[in-house]
Amino acid sequence: SQQGEEDPQALSIQEGENATMNCSYKTSINNLQWYRQNSGRGLVHLILIRSNEREKHSGRLRVTLDTSKKSSSLLITASRAADTASYFCATDKGYQKVTFGIGTKLQVIP
Amino acid sequence: GAVVSQHPSWVICKSGTSVKIECRSLDFQATTMFWYRQFPKQSLMLMATSNEGSKATYEQGVEKDKFLINHASLTLSTLTVTSAHPEDSSFYICSAREKNTEAFFGQGTRLTVV
């Protein structure tokens, strides 16, 4: 069964705008990872945030984690057409399987 | 971060043949490896978990005789799709972790059965 659920399932924005995707999960975790997947391609690891961290930045990406609400958000600032992809959150308990959410399909319109 | 290499990245095979996919951890010892499958426009679903030197644990609904998993060493796991059929066409991704550290993913293998 899926542990995480991304919200929204689909998002369409204009180039230059910010995109925010949310992920909610059900049980405690060790870390949470965000991945990007271009259509028909493999996973690209974006960022990992540990359970004792609240916010992390990587370039135009900003990830937050709220363990009390069991939720995480991924913010992509100043979006580009090349950011068009599906984005998945993956929850990791540290010793068991990593479970993926259903993903958010982001479309950035040039 | 750690590197997990998956090979091949894509493969086309005839119906009825078997296909082997390799997953290697390049710079760490993968005590546990996971195999996922992704149907078009869907998320990744876990197929099985394998610990080095042990039999794989399959998720409910996954045929263990059809998807043979071998994890004979700390750096290599293989998934063999036996007697492949068109409905087995999918994207297969492996993941590996060393003891209680975070898991890392391979790039995936696109299997097309014709």
Side-chain angles (χ1 to χ4, degrees):
Chain A
S1 61
Q2 297 300 114
Q3 157 81 308
E5 290 187 8
E6 287 89 343
D7 167 49
Q9 291 190 25
L11 180 61
S12 183
I13 60 173
Q14 295 289 329
E15 199 166 31
E17 292 181 340
N18 295 340
T20 299
M21 289 159 269
N22 303 298
C23 169
S24 60
Y25 56 93
K26 297 174 183 174
T27 63
S28 61
I29 60 172
N30 230 37
N31 65 71
L32 185 145
Q33 302 181 45
W34 283 91
Y35 289 85
R36 185 185 75 219
Q37 185 181 38
N38 289 75
S39 181
R41 308 291 292 274
L43 293 177
V44 174
H45 182 261
L46 296 177
I47 201 163
L48 179 151
I49 186 165
R50 301 186 190 281
S51 60
N52 60 354
E53 297 176 310
R54 291 296 167 259
E55 188 171 311
K56 208 162 183 180
H57 296 255
S58 177
R60 292 185 296 114
L61 306 179
R62 172 177 167 252
V63 168
T64 63
L65 179 65
D66 187 334
T67 53
S68 66
K69 294 181 180 179
K70 293 186 170 59
S71 67
S72 173
S73 68
L74 169 67
L75 169 66
I76 303 174
T77 60
S79 64
R80 305 167 182 168
D83 294 329
T84 295
S86 291
Y87 291 82
F88 296 93
C89 69
T91 52
D92 188 350
K93 288 188 176 183
Y95 56 90
Q96 295 180 5
K97 59 192 178 188
V98 173
T99 309
F100 284 85
I102 57 176
T104 293
K105 191 168 184 177
L106 173 66
Q107 182 182 24
V108 181
I109 303 167
Chain B
V3 178
V4 175
S5 175
Q6 199 170 329
H7 177 80
S9 55
W10 61 270
V11 58
I12 301 173
C13 72
K14 290 185 177 180
S15 188
T17 62
S18 295
V19 174
K20 181 184 284 188
I21 303 169
E22 293 187 348
C23 179
R24 293 180 186 275
S25 57
L26 299 185
D27 53 1
F28 66 100
Q29 294 185 325
T31 51
T32 307
M33 285 188 168
F34 308 90
W35 286 94
Y36 295 79
R37 180 176 183 176
Q38 185 184 36
F39 290 105
K41 300 182 180 180
Q42 294 189 29
S43 188
L44 287 80
M45 299 300 294
L46 181 68
M47 297 174 66
T49 302
S50 72
N51 293 297
E52 186 264 338
S54 302
K55 287 186 178 180
T57 302
Y58 290 80
E59 295 295 302
Q60 192 172 8
V62 179
E63 299 176 60
K64 62 180 181 181
D65 294 330
K66 181 161 187 64
F67 299 100
L68 301 179
I69 292 171
N70 183 286
H71 189 173
S73 78
L74 283 171
T75 59
L76 174 65
S77 175
T78 60
L79 167 67
T80 301
V81 182
T82 62
S83 186
H85 291 284
E87 58 264 30
D88 298 324
S89 297
S90 191
F91 194 66
Y92 295 88
I93 298 179
C94 72
S95 169
R97 73 158 85 240
E98 179 179 17
K99 291 184 180 177
N100 294 336
T101 63
E102 54 258 37
F104 296 94
F105 286 81
Q107 284 293 88
T109 297
R110 180 159 300 285
L111 170 64
T112 302
V113 184
V114 298

